[in-house]
Amino acid sequence: MARPVSFVDTSVLCNLLAVPHMDQDRKSVLTELTERRKSHDLILPVTAVIETGNHIAQIADGRLRRSCAERFSEVLRMVVERKAPWTLNHVEWDAVHLLDLIGGAGTGSTLVELASQRLGCGDLSILAERNRYLERTSGTTAEVWTLDEQLASYS
């Protein structure tokens, strides 16, 4: 059986990158990263890249914003060069993906119901990415590594 897979959520990535005001759990996330690398394959979902980039762009202090953007850029470069602790998830943004989002990505609720309960489309998209990954692989399990309690409840 293949090693289990952890999809890295935006909440984890922001802590790893020390995004100001979004890194309060940095120490424990760094420790957990060390442990997870021993037992899991780590995947960086496209959604986490987009959301993290948006959080960085909204940092008020220009100096901190640039510094954080540089760290983020370097992490993305490491992914491309296969030097990062995770790989990028390949997902097609197509009708199947959108239908999975609308249908609630296997949560048992629809996008409308989940949005009404304050589960964002970014979180839902990470779940959809995980579902698509599981559809094209066999013999593995996949979870979302997140600090968000609501998202974790669907992982």
Side-chain angles (χ1 to χ4, degrees):
M1 183 161 175
R3 284 169 36 119
V5 171
S6 291
F7 278 71
V8 178
D9 178 43
T10 307
S11 61
V12 171
L13 189 55
C14 284
N15 274 279
L16 292 172
L17 289 169
V19 175
H21 309 293
M22 301 188 84
D23 62 346
Q24 63 275 13
D25 298 304
R26 182 165 167 50
K27 185 176 178 180
S28 64
V29 167
L30 288 170
T31 300
E32 188 167 349
L33 174 63
T34 300
E35 293 304 312
R36 279 187 186 259
R37 289 180 70 184
K38 295 175 188 174
S39 60
H40 288 72
D41 289 331
L42 302 173
I43 294 181
L44 183 60
V46 174
T47 304
V49 172
I50 293 168
E51 287 184 332
T52 300
N54 286 341
H55 290 310
I56 291 168
Q58 294 175 15
I59 297 170
D61 182 316
R63 186 180 46 80
L64 290 175
R65 184 172 53 250
R66 181 174 184 87
S67 173
C68 196
E70 288 171 347
R71 288 192 302 276
F72 185 47
S73 180
E74 185 55 32
V75 165
L76 295 179
R77 187 175 319 284
M78 289 172 59
V79 171
V80 171
E81 295 171 354
R82 297 179 186 249
K83 295 177 182 175
W86 47 73
T87 59
L88 188 63
N89 185 39
H90 301 278
V91 65
E92 290 185 45
W93 189 260
D94 57 10
V96 173
H97 188 81
L98 290 179
L99 287 171
D100 196 20
L101 284 176
I102 293 165
T107 62
S109 299
T110 67
L111 179 145
V112 172
E113 293 165 337
L114 293 166
S116 297
Q117 297 166 16
R118 297 188 176 266
L119 183 73
C121 201
D123 291 344
L124 190 56
S125 186
I126 290 174
L127 294 173
E129 284 188 54
R130 181 200 58 190
N131 293 348
R132 304 273 313 263
Y133 174 85
L134 288 170
E135 288 172 3
R136 67 178 186 268
T137 60
S138 62
T140 191
T141 58
E143 65 181 7
V144 178
W145 176 21
T146 183
L147 304 178
D148 180 297
E149 289 181 24
Q150 188 176 20
L151 177 56
S153 71
Y154 294 105
S155 177

